Amino acid sequence: MKIAIDAMGGDNAPRAIVEGTVLAAKEFTDTEFQLYGKESAIRKYLTQDERIEVIHTDEKIDSEDDPVRSVRRKKEASMVLAARAVKEGKADALFSAGNTGALLASGLLIVGRIKGIDRPGLLVTLPTLSGSVSSFNLMDVGANADCKPAMIDQFATLGSYYAQSVQGIRKPRVGLLNNGTEDNKGNELAKQSYQLLKENKDIDFIGNVEARDLLEGTADVVVTDGFTGNAVLKTIEGTALNMVKLVKKTIMENGLKSKVGGLLLKDSLSNLKGTLDYSKHGGSVLLGLKAPVIKTHGSTEKESVYYTIRQIHEMLSSNVVTNVVEHFEKGKEPAE
Amino acid sequence: MKIAIDAMGGDNAPRAIVEGTVLAAKEFTDTEFQLYGKESAIRKYLTQDERIEVIHTDEKIDSEDDPVRSVRRKKEASMVLAARAVKEGKADALFSAGNTGALLASGLLIVGRIKGIDRPGLLVTLPTLSGSVSSFNLMDVGANADCKPAMIDQFATLGSYYAQSVQGIRKPRVGLLNNGTEDNKGNELAKQSYQLLKENKDIDFIGNVEARDLLEGTADVVVTDGFTGNAVLKTIEGTALNMVKLVKKTIMENGLKSKVGGLLLKDSLSNLKGTLDYSKHGGSVLLGLKAPVIKTHGSTEKESVYYTIRQIHEMLSSNVVTNVVEHFEKGKEPAE
C-alpha cells in the first residue's frame, strides 16, 4: 500500500511531517510513503530509507488560502499533487496537516465522491472518560455546516463501516445526537434523520443520544450535522483543556499542603493527560470519498503524524473504503 | 415584589422548594412569596413566616406529561395557577423546577410574549473556567430547536439587556456561536444571523465566537439556536462531570503516593467543585415574555432554589423585563 503525504501542511511542516513519516516507515514495512513538497527542506529531516519517496514541488497551499480557489489554481501545490496521485492510482490514501477546507476540496474535487454519497463527512475518534468502551466516533464534525437528512443517514452507514473495519467493533451502536432521548425530540433535521436511521438496515441504530452522555461511550458512532458536530467537538476540547488548567491553578493557589499534594499527584495527572490525548486516536477522516483522506491538527508533532499514519495503515489493511464503495456503488454486502 | 412559585415541580418537591423559599424569605424582606401546591404537604416544611402565602391545589403537572396538552388541560395544576397569577398581575415572576416543556408552554400560552418577540428563548449563566470574567450567558439553550435569523437577533438584544440589568455589565460583548471566527463562517442560519447582528444597534456585537473559547469568557452573551445551544450546554456539563470523575479515579488507581496526594488536595478539589457549581448562578431564564419565568433543575435542592430566587429578585429589582417590554413594544431606549 502507498500513502501520499502532503509534507508542507501544518505549523511544523515539513519537520514534524517528515519525522513522523520516518517513525511510521520503520514500523510499517509493507507500506510505501510519498512525501510531496520542497525536496531540500524535506531531505534535511530524512534518514536513508528506501521506502520514502520525495516528489518535489515549490508550490503549497497556505492556511489562510481560500479552500476551493487554491485547490483549483495552485495546481502544483503539494496537497494537490498528493491528491492527484491518489486519483490516478499512484497512491491509496491522502494525508495532510494543512488547510482543512482545502483538504476537503481536494477530496471532493480531485479524489472524488463515492457514487451514492451526497457529501463526504468528517469523522473523529474521541476517547471516552468513563463507561465500558474506550472511544467513540463523532461525524460530521465540520465538513458540512448544512446537512440534509439523507446525508446524516449516509454518515451513519459510513461511520458504522469505519467502526467495524478499522476498530473491529462487530456491531457498532449508532446514535443520533439530539436534545433528548425520546423519539420525537429535536429540530426538523434531527426528526427527519431519525426516521431514515430507523429504517437503515445496514446499521444498529440505538436511537437518540444526548451530548451529556457522549464521553461515557453511550454509542460507538454518533451522527449529526457538521455545524452541531463541530460545536460539540470544540466544546469537549475547550472544557477538557480548561478543566486541566483549573486543576493546576487550584493546586498552585491553595498553599503548601495543596502544592505537595500536587507534586505527589504528578504521575497521576500525567496519566490523565494521556487519557485525554486525542492525537493517539489519529486524525479526522473524510469518509465518503473513493480513497481514505485524513487530516490531522495543524499544530501536529511527529507523534501524532505517526499515530495518524498508523490509522491510515489500519484503514488500508481493513479495506474499509473499498467495502464502502462496493456497498454504495454496487449494493453489495460488506466482506466480513 | 411578588414571586409565584410552583411548589410541586422537581424531584424533591415540595420539600426542597419550600425550604429554599424559607431561606430566601429570611433575606429578601421586601418580597412576597406565593407557594402553589398541596397545602398539607407544603406546611410540613414551613416555619411561621407572614410573607409566605400558600395557595392550595391538588393538581400538578408531572415530568412525563405532554407539555402543551397538560398546560391546556390541567387548569388547576400548581404551575398553571402560578402562571395565571403572573398573567393577572397578582405576582411579578414565575418560578418552577418542574417539567421544562410545560413551563415553556405556560410562559408562552399564559404569561404571554412581548410584542415584537417571535419566540422566547432560554438563557443560562455559566461559570467561566479561565479568563477575566467569571461567567457568561448562553441563549437559546433549548426553547426553540429550530430558529430563524430574526429570533437569534432578538436573543442577542434580550441577552444583552439581561447582562446589563441583572449582572451590571455596562456594555455586554455579544458573540454568535459559530464554527470559525471569520465573518463568512457557518451554516445558513449562522450566516444570516451574522448579518442581522452586525446591524443591531442595541448590542455590542463582537462577531463569531467558537465553542472552544466559551469557558474562557470570550463573550458575555453567546447566542445560537436552541438545538446547538442545548448540545453545547450538555457537552460542557458532561465533559466537566466526567473530568472530575476521571481525576478522582486517576488518584485512586495510582497507588499510595497518589492517594496521599489526593488527600492533601481535598480542599483544593472541593474549591474546584465550587467553581463548577452551576446552581449558584441560578436557574435558566425564559426571556421574551411579559414577566420573568425561571426554571431550575428537576433535581434541585434548597440551596439552588435559594440562589434562583435571589436571581429572580435581581431581575425584578433591575426591572429588566419592564425595560425589555418598553424597548420592543414602544421602541424606547432602556432607562439606565
Side-chain angles (χ1 to χ4, degrees):
Chain A
M1 50 191 101
K2 296 171 194 162
I3 304 176
I5 298 167
D6 168 17
M8 309 311 282
D11 309 336
N12 309 313
R15 183 188 47 76
I17 312 295
V18 180
E19 289 176 349
T21 305
V22 169
L23 268 179
K26 278 184 196 146
E27 182 169 341
F28 305 113
T29 49
D30 59 349
T31 308
E32 287 176 31
F33 298 92
Q34 304 165 354
L35 287 171
Y36 291 81
K38 205 177 168 71
E39 181 152 16
S40 58
I42 293 172
R43 291 265 175 229
K44 258 197 274 182
Y45 306 100
L46 214 51
T47 55
Q48 220 50 323
D49 189 306
E50 289 171 331
R51 284 174 305 99
I52 298 186
E53 190 186 346
V54 179
I55 296 94
H56 173 77
T57 180
D58 277 321
E59 203 167 32
K60 69 184 179 77
I61 292 176
D62 296 309
S63 60
E64 62 277 9
D65 280 350
D66 177 81
V68 174
R69 197 157 30 176
S70 60
V71 169
R72 288 217 168 107
R73 297 206 183 153
K74 291 186 164 179
K75 291 191 194 302
E76 298 301 313
S78 53
M79 187 195 285
V80 172
L81 289 186
R84 216 182 299 147
V86 174
K87 165 78 175 175
E88 292 164 0
K90 292 176 197 156
D92 305 303
L94 167 60
F95 171 34
S96 176
N99 185 320
T100 307
L103 189 64
L104 299 183
S106 298
L108 204 54
L109 302 174
I110 303 172
V111 176
R113 269 183 304 129
I114 294 172
K115 223 167 72 184
I117 295 285
D118 290 309
R119 297 272 307 181
L122 211 46
L123 173 145
V124 287
T125 304
L126 296 172
T128 58
L129 299 184
S130 63
S132 58
V133 293
S134 64
S135 66
F136 73 100
N137 303 288
L138 183 62
M139 182 179 184
D140 174 19
V141 293
N144 312 280
D146 285 291
C147 284
K148 293 192 191 316
M151 290 164 65
I152 308 258
D153 189 38
Q154 290 162 11
F155 296 160
T157 306
L158 292 167
S160 189
Y161 262 93
Y162 184 85
Q164 238 168 353
S165 310
V166 180
Q167 296 163 344
I169 303 169
R170 196 159 169 81
K171 206 179 162 197
R173 297 161 301 146
V174 180
L176 174 67
L177 185 72
N178 211 330
N179 54 4
T181 51
E182 303 88 339
D183 297 7
N184 59 347
K185 278 281 176 179
N187 54 11
E188 271 312 308
L189 175 65
K191 284 179 191 168
Q192 291 178 29
S193 303
Y194 185 94
Q195 295 308 320
L196 294 181
L197 291 165
K198 218 175 59 179
E199 302 298 325
N200 186 333
K201 291 192 170 57
D202 300 312
I203 60 165
D204 176 25
F205 182 53
I206 60 163
N208 293 324
V209 296
E210 287 203 79
R212 188 187 282 128
D213 305 323
L214 297 184
L215 294 177
E216 294 169 15
T218 184
D220 299 304
V221 178
V222 177
V223 289
T224 185
D225 65 279
F227 190 80
T228 311
N230 191 271
V232 165
L233 174 65
K234 286 178 180 164
T235 304
I236 293 175
E237 288 177 351
T239 309
L241 192 75
N242 273 292
M243 289 282 296
V244 170
K245 273 203 263 180
L246 189 63
V247 169
K248 281 188 189 158
K249 190 171 155 247
T250 306
I251 291 172
M252 294 315 287
E253 283 178 358
N254 279 283
L256 185 64
K257 196 175 84 176
S258 179
K259 275 183 207 161
V260 173
L263 273 175
L264 290 171
L265 276 183
K266 219 176 152 192
D267 294 345
S268 299
L269 291 178
S270 97
N271 279 356
L272 176 69
K273 235 180 138 185
T275 308
L276 292 170
D277 190 355
Y278 290 6
S279 65
K280 281 190 190 161
H281 292 268
S284 24
V285 182
L286 196 58
L287 282 177
L289 299 173
K290 286 180 177 162
V293 173
I294 286 94
K295 165 79 176 70
T296 186
H297 270 287
S299 58
T300 193
E301 266 302 341
K302 65 176 176 185
E303 290 76 16
S304 46
V305 170
Y306 161 80
Y307 283 116
T308 307
I309 292 175
R310 189 173 76 174
Q311 178 191 18
I312 298 171
H313 185 265
E314 280 162 14
M315 285 186 75
L316 291 174
S317 307
S318 71
N319 289 316
V320 56
V321 170
T322 320
N323 286 342
V324 168
V325 171
E326 291 204 347
H327 174 87
F328 278 96
E329 300 201 344
K330 299 166 197 161
K332 278 192 193 166
E333 286 298 304
E336 268 197 74
Chain B
M1 50 189 102
K2 296 170 194 163
I3 304 176
I5 299 166
D6 168 16
M8 308 312 282
D11 309 337
N12 308 313
R15 182 187 49 75
I17 312 295
V18 179
E19 288 176 349
T21 304
V22 169
L23 266 181
K26 278 184 195 148
E27 183 170 339
F28 305 113
T29 48
D30 59 350
T31 308
E32 287 175 33
F33 298 91
Q34 303 165 355
L35 288 171
Y36 292 81
K38 204 177 169 71
E39 180 152 14
S40 58
I42 293 171
R43 291 265 175 231
K44 259 198 271 181
Y45 306 101
L46 215 49
T47 55
Q48 219 51 323
D49 189 306
E50 291 171 327
R51 283 172 306 100
I52 299 187
E53 190 185 346
V54 180
I55 297 97
H56 173 76
T57 180
D58 277 320
E59 201 166 32
K60 70 184 178 78
I61 292 177
D62 296 310
S63 59
E64 61 276 10
D65 279 350
D66 177 81
V68 174
R69 196 158 28 179
S70 61
V71 169
R72 287 218 169 109
R73 297 206 184 154
K74 291 186 164 179
K75 290 189 193 305
E76 298 301 312
S78 54
M79 188 195 284
V80 172
L81 288 185
R84 214 182 300 147
V86 174
K87 166 77 176 173
E88 292 166 358
K90 291 176 196 156
D92 305 303
L94 167 60
F95 171 35
S96 177
N99 185 319
T100 307
L103 189 63
L104 298 183
S106 298
L108 204 54
L109 302 174
I110 303 173
V111 176
R113 271 184 303 128
I114 294 172
K115 221 166 75 185
I117 294 287
D118 290 310
R119 296 272 306 182
L122 210 46
L123 172 146
V124 285
T125 303
L126 297 171
T128 59
L129 299 183
S130 62
S132 58
V133 292
S134 64
S135 67
F136 72 100
N137 303 290
L138 182 63
M139 182 177 184
D140 173 21
V141 294
N144 312 280
D146 285 292
C147 285
K148 293 193 189 318
M151 289 163 66
I152 308 257
D153 189 39
Q154 291 162 9
F155 296 160
T157 306
L158 291 168
S160 189
Y161 263 93
Y162 185 85
Q164 239 169 351
S165 310
V166 180
Q167 295 163 343
I169 303 169
R170 191 152 175 84
K171 207 180 161 195
R173 296 160 302 146
V174 179
L176 173 67
L177 185 72
N178 210 330
N179 54 3
T181 52
E182 302 87 341
D183 297 5
N184 59 346
K185 280 280 176 179
N187 55 11
E188 271 311 309
L189 175 64
K191 283 180 190 167
Q192 290 178 28
S193 303
Y194 185 95
Q195 295 308 321
L196 293 180
L197 291 165
K198 219 176 60 178
E199 303 297 325
N200 185 334
K201 289 193 171 60
D202 301 312
I203 59 165
D204 176 25
F205 182 52
I206 60 163
N208 293 323
V209 297
E210 288 203 79
R212 188 186 281 129
D213 304 323
L214 296 184
L215 295 178
E216 294 169 14
T218 186
D220 300 304
V221 178
V222 177
V223 288
T224 186
D225 65 279
F227 190 80
T228 311
N230 192 270
V232 165
L233 174 65
K234 286 176 180 164
T235 305
I236 293 175
E237 287 176 352
T239 309
L241 193 74
N242 273 291
M243 289 282 296
V244 170
K245 273 203 263 181
L246 189 63
V247 169
K248 280 189 189 157
K249 189 171 156 247
T250 306
I251 289 172
M252 294 315 287
E253 284 178 358
N254 280 283
L256 185 63
K257 197 176 81 174
S258 180
K259 276 184 205 160
V260 173
L263 273 176
L264 289 172
L265 275 183
K266 218 176 153 194
D267 294 345
S268 298
L269 291 177
S270 97
N271 278 357
L272 176 70
K273 234 180 137 187
T275 308
L276 292 169
D277 190 355
Y278 290 7
S279 66
K280 283 192 186 158
H281 292 268
S284 25
V285 182
L286 196 59
L287 282 178
L289 298 173
K290 286 180 177 163
V293 173
I294 287 95
K295 165 79 174 73
T296 187
H297 272 288
S299 58
T300 194
E301 267 303 341
K302 66 175 176 184
E303 290 77 14
S304 46
V305 170
Y306 161 79
Y307 283 116
T308 307
I309 293 176
R310 190 175 74 175
Q311 176 192 20
I312 298 170
H313 185 265
E314 280 162 13
M315 286 187 74
L316 291 174
S317 306
S318 70
N319 289 316
V320 56
V321 171
T322 320
N323 287 342
V324 169
V325 170
E326 291 205 345
H327 174 86
F328 278 95
E329 299 201 345
K330 298 167 195 159
K332 278 191 193 166
E333 287 298 305
E336 270 197 71

